[in-house]
PDB file of all heavy atoms in Angstrom:
ATOM      1  N   ILE H  58       3.460  32.178  18.749  1.00 98.00           N
ATOM      2  CA  ILE H  58       3.620  30.975  17.944  1.00 98.00           C
ATOM      3  C   ILE H  58       2.435  30.932  16.956  1.00 98.00           C
ATOM      4  O   ILE H  58       1.240  30.857  17.430  1.00 98.00           O
ATOM      5  CB  ILE H  58       3.672  29.652  18.734  1.00 98.00           C
ATOM      6  CG1 ILE H  58       4.918  29.734  19.722  1.00 98.00           C
ATOM      7  CG2 ILE H  58       3.814  28.496  17.793  1.00 98.00           C
ATOM      8  CD1 ILE H  58       4.783  28.689  20.779  1.00 98.00           C
ATOM      9  N   VAL H  59       2.700  30.924  15.686  1.00 98.00           N
ATOM     10  CA  VAL H  59       1.625  30.772  14.720  1.00 98.00           C
ATOM     11  C   VAL H  59       1.748  29.489  13.985  1.00 98.00           C
ATOM     12  O   VAL H  59       2.847  29.192  13.417  1.00 98.00           O
ATOM     13  CB  VAL H  59       1.723  31.953  13.593  1.00 98.00           C
ATOM     14  CG1 VAL H  59       0.528  31.882  12.643  1.00 98.00           C
ATOM     15  CG2 VAL H  59       1.742  33.346  14.366  1.00 98.00           C
ATOM     16  N   ALA H  60       0.752  28.618  14.050  1.00 98.00           N
ATOM     17  CA  ALA H  60       0.800  27.325  13.303  1.00 98.00           C
ATOM     18  C   ALA H  60      -0.022  27.551  12.001  1.00 98.00           C
ATOM     19  O   ALA H  60      -1.002  28.272  11.921  1.00 98.00           O
ATOM     20  CB  ALA H  60       0.001  26.315  14.196  1.00 98.00           C
ATOM     21  N   VAL H  61       0.524  26.889  10.952  1.00 98.00           N
ATOM     22  CA  VAL H  61      -0.029  27.042   9.655  1.00 98.00           C
ATOM     23  C   VAL H  61      -0.216  25.625   9.058  1.00 98.00           C
ATOM     24  O   VAL H  61       0.653  24.787   9.230  1.00 98.00           O
ATOM     25  CB  VAL H  61       0.926  27.759   8.665  1.00 98.00           C
ATOM     26  CG1 VAL H  61       0.327  27.919   7.249  1.00 98.00           C
ATOM     27  CG2 VAL H  61       1.287  29.070   9.206  1.00 98.00           C
ATOM     28  N   SER H  62      -1.325  25.391   8.426  1.00 98.00           N
ATOM     29  CA  SER H  62      -1.553  24.146   7.649  1.00 98.00           C
ATOM     30  C   SER H  62      -2.146  24.404   6.313  1.00 98.00           C
ATOM     31  O   SER H  62      -2.966  25.310   6.152  1.00 98.00           O
ATOM     32  CB  SER H  62      -2.344  23.210   8.477  1.00 98.00           C
ATOM     33  OG  SER H  62      -2.201  21.865   7.895  1.00 98.00           O
ATOM     34  N   ILE H  63      -1.741  23.653   5.321  1.00 98.00           N
ATOM     35  CA  ILE H  63      -2.163  23.763   3.971  1.00 98.00           C
ATOM     36  C   ILE H  63      -2.742  22.521   3.516  1.00 98.00           C
ATOM     37  O   ILE H  63      -2.121  21.461   3.610  1.00 98.00           O
ATOM     38  CB  ILE H  63      -1.007  24.295   3.069  1.00 98.00           C
ATOM     39  CG1 ILE H  63      -0.446  25.614   3.582  1.00 98.00           C
ATOM     40  CG2 ILE H  63      -1.463  24.378   1.603  1.00 98.00           C
ATOM     41  CD1 ILE H  63       0.937  25.925   3.088  1.00 98.00           C
ATOM     42  N   GLY H  64      -3.940  22.496   2.927  1.00 97.00           N
ATOM     43  CA  GLY H  64      -4.538  21.261   2.378  1.00 97.00           C
ATOM     44  C   GLY H  64      -6.049  21.349   2.401  1.00 97.00           C
ATOM     45  O   GLY H  64      -6.660  22.377   1.904  1.00 97.00           O
ATOM     46  N   VAL H  65      -6.708  20.302   2.911  1.00 97.00           N
ATOM     47  CA  VAL H  65      -8.158  20.316   2.885  1.00 97.00           C
ATOM     48  C   VAL H  65      -8.655  21.002   4.175  1.00 97.00           C
ATOM     49  O   VAL H  65      -7.920  21.171   5.126  1.00 97.00           O
ATOM     50  CB  VAL H  65      -8.700  18.837   2.845  1.00 97.00           C
ATOM     51  CG1 VAL H  65      -8.365  18.188   1.461  1.00 97.00           C
ATOM     52  CG2 VAL H  65      -8.078  17.978   3.964  1.00 97.00           C
ATOM     53  N   LYS H  66      -9.995  21.208   4.172  1.00 97.00           N
ATOM     54  CA  LYS H  66     -10.545  21.914   5.290  1.00 97.00           C
ATOM     55  C   LYS H  66     -10.413  21.201   6.648  1.00 97.00           C
ATOM     56  O   LYS H  66     -10.206  21.846   7.667  1.00 97.00           O
ATOM     57  CB  LYS H  66     -12.087  22.068   5.040  1.00 97.00           C
ATOM     58  CG  LYS H  66     -12.806  23.082   5.899  1.00 97.00           C
ATOM     59  CD  LYS H  66     -14.180  23.362   5.441  1.00 97.00           C
ATOM     60  CE  LYS H  66     -14.935  24.243   6.435  1.00 97.00           C
ATOM     61  NZ  LYS H  66     -14.433  25.662   6.553  1.00 97.00           N
ATOM     62  N   GLN H  67     -10.434  19.886   6.601  1.00 97.00           N
ATOM     63  CA  GLN H  67     -10.267  19.074   7.808  1.00 97.00           C
ATOM     64  C   GLN H  67      -8.891  19.314   8.478  1.00 97.00           C
ATOM     65  O   GLN H  67      -8.760  18.902   9.593  1.00 97.00           O
ATOM     66  CB  GLN H  67     -10.372  17.593   7.510  1.00 97.00           C
ATOM     67  CG  GLN H  67     -11.769  17.168   7.101  1.00 97.00           C
ATOM     68  CD  GLN H  67     -11.928  17.174   5.555  1.00 97.00           C
ATOM     69  OE1 GLN H  67     -11.564  18.135   4.881  1.00 97.00           O
ATOM     70  NE2 GLN H  67     -12.413  16.115   4.986  1.00 97.00           N
ATOM     71  N   ALA H  68      -7.954  19.942   7.825  1.00 98.00           N
ATOM     72  CA  ALA H  68      -6.648  20.187   8.423  1.00 98.00           C
ATOM     73  C   ALA H  68      -6.807  21.155   9.654  1.00 98.00           C
ATOM     74  O   ALA H  68      -5.863  21.295  10.363  1.00 98.00           O
ATOM     75  CB  ALA H  68      -5.655  20.788   7.443  1.00 98.00           C
ATOM     76  N   GLN H  69      -7.996  21.787   9.768  1.00 97.00           N
ATOM     77  CA  GLN H  69      -8.260  22.609  10.925  1.00 97.00           C
ATOM     78  C   GLN H  69      -8.149  21.791  12.210  1.00 97.00           C
ATOM     79  O   GLN H  69      -7.710  22.233  13.259  1.00 97.00           O
ATOM     80  CB  GLN H  69      -9.499  23.405  10.877  1.00 97.00           C
ATOM     81  CG  GLN H  69     -10.693  22.543  10.814  1.00 97.00           C
ATOM     82  CD  GLN H  69     -11.980  23.449  10.978  1.00 97.00           C
ATOM     83  OE1 GLN H  69     -12.395  23.619  12.147  1.00 97.00           O
ATOM     84  NE2 GLN H  69     -12.467  24.001   9.984  1.00 97.00           N
ATOM     85  N   GLU H  70      -8.483  20.483  12.127  1.00 97.00           N
ATOM     86  CA  GLU H  70      -8.317  19.596  13.336  1.00 97.00           C
ATOM     87  C   GLU H  70      -6.768  19.577  13.812  1.00 97.00           C
ATOM     88  O   GLU H  70      -6.481  19.501  14.944  1.00 97.00           O
ATOM     89  CB  GLU H  70      -8.739  18.153  13.085  1.00 97.00           C
ATOM     90  CG  GLU H  70     -10.193  18.047  12.730  1.00 97.00           C
ATOM     91  CD  GLU H  70     -10.561  16.834  11.926  1.00 97.00           C
ATOM     92  OE1 GLU H  70      -9.681  15.854  11.919  1.00 97.00           O
ATOM     93  OE2 GLU H  70     -11.656  16.766  11.283  1.00 97.00           O
ATOM     94  N   THR H  71      -5.928  19.482  12.768  1.00 98.00           N
ATOM     95  CA  THR H  71      -4.515  19.460  13.069  1.00 98.00           C
ATOM     96  C   THR H  71      -4.084  20.738  13.672  1.00 98.00           C
ATOM     97  O   THR H  71      -3.286  20.804  14.584  1.00 98.00           O
ATOM     98  CB  THR H  71      -3.739  19.194  11.734  1.00 98.00           C
ATOM     99  OG1 THR H  71      -4.323  18.072  11.119  1.00 98.00           O
ATOM    100  CG2 THR H  71      -2.294  18.915  11.927  1.00 98.00           C
ATOM    101  N   LEU H  72      -4.620  21.870  13.172  1.00 98.00           N
ATOM    102  CA  LEU H  72      -4.275  23.140  13.760  1.00 98.00           C
ATOM    103  C   LEU H  72      -4.798  23.266  15.224  1.00 98.00           C
ATOM    104  O   LEU H  72      -4.151  23.817  16.052  1.00 98.00           O
ATOM    105  CB  LEU H  72      -4.782  24.290  12.875  1.00 98.00           C
ATOM    106  CG  LEU H  72      -4.039  24.408  11.560  1.00 98.00           C
ATOM    107  CD1 LEU H  72      -4.747  25.360  10.616  1.00 98.00           C
ATOM    108  CD2 LEU H  72      -2.603  24.936  11.762  1.00 98.00           C
ATOM    109  N   ARG H  73      -6.015  22.765  15.451  1.00 98.00           N
ATOM    110  CA  ARG H  73      -6.491  22.796  16.817  1.00 98.00           C
ATOM    111  C   ARG H  73      -5.660  22.016  17.721  1.00 98.00           C
ATOM    112  O   ARG H  73      -5.426  22.361  18.880  1.00 98.00           O
ATOM    113  CB  ARG H  73      -7.966  22.154  16.888  1.00 98.00           C
ATOM    114  CG  ARG H  73      -9.025  22.986  16.239  1.00 98.00           C
ATOM    115  CD  ARG H  73      -9.344  24.286  16.897  1.00 98.00           C
ATOM    116  NE  ARG H  73     -10.266  25.166  16.125  1.00 98.00           N
ATOM    117  CZ  ARG H  73     -10.288  26.466  16.230  1.00 98.00           C
ATOM    118  NH1 ARG H  73      -9.609  27.131  17.176  1.00 98.00           N
ATOM    119  NH2 ARG H  73     -11.169  27.180  15.468  1.00 98.00           N
ATOM    120  N   THR H  74      -5.050  20.887  17.251  1.00 98.00           N
ATOM    121  CA  THR H  74      -4.110  20.164  18.052  1.00 98.00           C
ATOM    122  C   THR H  74      -2.887  21.008  18.433  1.00 98.00           C
ATOM    123  O   THR H  74      -2.423  21.044  19.569  1.00 98.00           O
ATOM    124  CB  THR H  74      -3.668  18.856  17.319  1.00 98.00           C
ATOM    125  OG1 THR H  74      -4.828  18.138  16.953  1.00 98.00           O
ATOM    126  CG2 THR H  74      -2.781  17.984  18.168  1.00 98.00           C
TER     127      THR H  74
END
Side-chain angles (χ1 to χ4, degrees):
Chain H
I58 301 167
V59 182
V61 182
S62 195
I63 299 163
V65 292
K66 196 171 172 68
Q67 294 91 311
Q69 63 168 270
E70 296 156 19
T71 310
L72 288 170
R73 291 288 172 204
T74 305

